[in-house]
Amino acid sequence: MANKSVFASMRGRLLPGTETRNAAGAPAYAFDAPHALAQMAATGTFNDAFYTRANTQLRELQSLLWQCDPVFVAQTAIYVRTKGHMKDMPAFLVAHLSLRDPVLFARTFDQVIDNGRMLRTFVQIMRSGAVGRKSLGTRPKRKVQAWLTGASDKALLHAAVGQAPSIADVIKMVHPKAHDEARDAFFAWLIGKPADTGLLPDAVQDYVRFKQAGQGKVPDVPFQMLTALELSAHDWATIALQGGWHMVRMNLQTFARHGVFELDGMADKIAEKLRDPDAIARARVMPHQILMAHTMAKGQVPAVIREALEQAMEAALSNVPELGGSVALCVDVSGSMASPVTGYRRGATSAVRCVDAAALMASALMRTNRDCTVVPFNREARDLTLSPRDTVMTNAKLLARLCGGGTNCSAALEHLNTLKLAPDLVVFVSDNQSWVDARPQGRPSQLMQQWETLKQRNPKARMACIDIAPYTTTQAPDRDDIVNIGGFTDAVFSTLKDFVDGRYGAAHWVEEIRAIQV
């Protein structure tokens, strides 16, 4: 008889063997080029991650871009800007398209470069040489000129905040031709040249008068233009009421230091702004941004503000779907998840970690899917009891406190198998860089082995692997019952619902991106 350990009968489908190594050095499955590009675009910020450096990510991204057709690059740029709320990455993809397909570049530019910050980022990337040129070129220059001449006065004024390049640098670079005397005067004022004040936008005229007089009505301009001036508590209160949603949530401590919350009714007014669902939707608020604001809202920031941020979180996650059936949420709380969700960058590192974003996603799903088992894991499954009646913020913080240790993705499924559980849907939220359970390369991953064991109890079970870090491997390759999704915004939830409903085929998430009209 032949050796039974070699020729043992196999149950279930034939599992594919791993063909590459992940960033942690363990065997893994590689995404194809389009999926890898989508994954990096939805999660990458050109900052250092736990296992990789920013320059390494850039080189890998550049290689992937040339392996993908320009249409998919354009679709990915639009997806990660409009649904993923990314900034630097979609600007880079548009810059790349300026070399590949000028017509496609022009159509994509209009959908992605949608504010002054994005315009300045695009120009910075083009001038850096990272996409293969150090000048804008004719067509990109025309698109930048068109943005400058077509932008509203308010949009152009807000674009004036920021450096390297400043909006003045951009104007001097492309020399836009104003469509009327008012815009010509505005361009002159922005670059520091003499201008007829009477032709400037009302907000700019108010700012000039306020700056000269040092008193009067606070102008409706970006607050960064006012911070060097002597301002009273009432002035700061006006700034808070006039400011956008993100400006307010980022400056709660500033308002507290300047006595804004001590003014009668101001705490309630700011709280009302923070909890406004329409304002949250317009600002493209990401849940981890609310978590960061809530974490920083200490000391003199009143309780009503923290309560408003908790309500804002519920509004930001209002589209979390009910997935139907039983759900197991496997949350990675290993040490690598302690890295900032937007990466490390000196002077600009986010206080929100990958584990915080993962815990938020899982907590939100738990609220809308009551038949739910939560399995935190690092080297092994961890014990934690959560209540769906608690707020998303509360449960997310409880999960995040477990952070530390090695990564063993299969431990979560092994735990479910030990308990003989057979959920209809298993959702992993992780960086997918499993290494504790490493098997020899060429053999199926331990996660896939555990998945097949679970499938024997529930053949209809499905698994979704949500990856919130810019890596291009997985422990479970896409197939009809498995999807890999990248990102940390609420767009992930709609993709997850489509997967459960069987909207797409085996390519799942990539098919969703390919459906975008350019």
Side-chain angles (χ1 to χ4, degrees):
M1 295 290 291
N3 187 336
K4 289 186 178 180
S5 66
V6 176
F7 299 104
S9 298
M10 302 188 75
R11 299 170 64 183
R13 73 176 76 194
L14 184 66
L15 299 179
T18 53
E19 71 272 349
T20 189
R21 290 190 176 272
N22 61 23
Y29 302 96
F31 293 136
D32 63 19
H35 196 136
L37 173 61
Q39 172 65 33
M40 290 200 72
T43 56
T45 57
F46 298 112
N47 295 329
D48 294 343
F50 188 86
Y51 291 110
T52 186
R53 308 291 290 181
N55 287 336
T56 303
Q57 293 178 48
L58 177 59
R59 289 193 297 270
E60 188 171 6
L61 177 66
Q62 289 168 327
S63 175
L64 289 170
L65 284 167
W66 289 103
Q67 296 175 55
C68 296
D69 67 86
V71 173
F72 185 74
V73 174
Q75 291 167 325
T76 302
I78 295 168
Y79 176 89
V80 298
R81 178 57 184 158
T82 59
K83 295 189 176 183
H85 308 334
M86 302 296 281
K87 302 179 181 70
D88 297 353
M89 186 63 70
F92 186 90
L93 300 188
V94 172
H96 170 81
L97 284 171
S98 70
L99 300 179
R100 296 279 300 276
D101 189 320
V103 175
L104 197 58
F105 155 75
R107 296 207 300 265
T108 309
F109 183 100
D110 293 336
Q111 298 186 63
V112 172
I113 309 303
D114 54 6
N115 62 36
R117 197 268 193 199
M118 290 294 294
L119 183 79
R120 291 189 299 103
T121 299
F122 170 77
V123 172
Q124 176 191 4
I125 289 170
M126 290 291 292
R127 298 276 292 176
S128 72
V131 296
R133 65 194 305 173
K134 288 193 174 182
S135 62
L136 286 178
T138 302
R139 192 178 293 263
K141 181 178 179 180
R142 288 175 181 169
K143 295 303 293 184
V144 173
Q145 290 172 333
W147 192 96
L148 291 168
T149 56
S152 67
D153 290 340
K154 184 175 183 179
L156 194 54
L157 184 58
H158 279 266
V161 174
Q163 299 295 322
S166 66
I167 201 66
D169 295 331
V170 176
I171 292 171
K172 293 174 184 177
M173 191 183 306
V174 302
H175 305 290
K177 296 188 181 299
H179 49 72
D180 56 29
E181 291 184 349
R183 181 52 57 97
D184 191 48
F186 197 6
F187 284 154
W189 183 82
L190 287 168
I191 64 175
K193 287 187 175 182
D196 183 346
T197 305
L199 293 175
L200 295 175
D202 291 343
V204 177
Q205 294 186 42
D206 292 342
Y207 170 72
V208 171
R209 286 192 292 267
F210 185 85
K211 187 177 180 180
Q212 291 173 344
Q215 60 184 357
K217 178 184 176 183
V218 177
D220 187 7
V221 298
F223 92 104
Q224 294 92 334
M225 298 172 64
L226 301 168
T227 53
L229 306 178
E230 290 292 331
L231 300 173
S232 68
H234 287 280
D235 292 336
W236 278 105
T238 301
I239 291 171
L241 294 177
Q242 292 177 166
W245 196 95
H246 282 296
M247 186 279 280
V248 173
R249 67 99 179 165
M250 292 172 66
N251 289 279
L252 295 173
Q253 288 289 352
T254 300
F255 298 146
R257 285 196 306 273
H258 289 91
V260 171
F261 297 122
E262 298 172 15
L263 300 176
D264 187 38
M266 276 306 302
D268 289 332
K269 290 179 180 179
I270 294 176
E272 185 63 30
K273 170 175 283 199
L274 289 171
R275 70 168 67 96
D276 180 6
D278 292 333
I280 292 168
R282 287 194 303 271
R284 300 176 178 176
V285 178
M286 289 190 277
H288 74 264
Q289 294 171 325
I290 304 175
L291 177 63
M292 181 166 60
H294 189 271
T295 301
M296 300 300 292
K298 301 174 182 177
Q300 296 174 289
V301 178
V304 67
I305 298 297
R306 292 191 291 274
E307 293 169 3
L309 288 168
E310 292 180 0
Q311 293 171 316
M313 180 69 78
E314 301 292 337
L317 296 170
S318 61
N319 68 338
V320 177
E322 183 176 347
L323 300 171
S326 56
V327 180
L329 298 173
C330 304
V331 186
D332 187 348
V333 294
S334 64
S336 61
M337 297 288 283
S339 61
V341 71
T342 55
Y344 298 96
R345 185 173 62 180
R346 182 176 297 178
T349 297
S350 170
V352 179
R353 304 164 298 168
C354 288
V355 69
D356 299 317
L360 277 176
M361 285 187 170
S363 300
L365 286 167
M366 187 175 66
R367 292 291 300 278
T368 54
N369 296 273
R370 295 306 176 96
D371 186 4
C372 183
T373 301
V374 179
V375 186
F377 68 91
N378 43 32
R379 295 186 70 94
E380 59 188 8
R382 303 291 302 276
D383 291 326
L384 181 67
T385 300
L386 299 175
S387 171
R389 291 186 295 275
D390 287 335
T391 66
V392 169
M393 206 88 75
T394 297
N395 284 327
K397 290 181 178 179
L398 290 173
L399 279 166
R401 287 174 187 170
L402 299 175
C403 190
T407 308
N408 181 0
C409 290
S410 65
L413 290 186
E414 183 178 3
H415 177 74
L416 296 174
N417 286 330
T418 298
L419 297 178
K420 305 298 182 184
L421 297 177
D424 298 308
L425 176 67
V426 174
V427 179
F428 273 86
V429 192
S430 170
D431 62 9
N432 279 319
Q433 301 306 294
S434 191
W435 57 269
V436 173
D437 55 351
R439 309 181 74 198
Q441 188 165 327
R443 297 183 62 184
S445 69
Q446 186 62 26
L447 181 68
M448 289 300 292
Q449 293 281 17
Q450 292 291 340
W451 178 239
E452 285 304 305
T453 300
L454 188 149
K455 291 276 289 187
Q456 290 169 18
R457 296 193 305 279
N458 184 356
K460 296 183 179 180
R462 291 176 170 240
M463 178 164 60
C465 301
I466 301 173
D467 197 333
I468 58 177
Y471 305 118
T472 56
T473 63
T474 181
Q475 293 294 301
D478 280 0
R479 62 186 201 185
D480 55 355
D481 62 334
I482 300 173
V483 64
N484 285 274
I485 311 168
F488 39 79
T489 70
D490 57 358
V492 169
F493 297 128
S494 61
T495 303
L496 187 59
K497 177 63 173 173
D498 289 339
F499 167 64
V500 170
D501 293 344
R503 178 178 175 187
Y504 298 111
H508 303 303
W509 186 42
V510 171
E511 288 187 44
E512 179 181 352
I513 296 172
R514 288 195 184 280
I516 290 174
Q517 297 295 315
V518 181

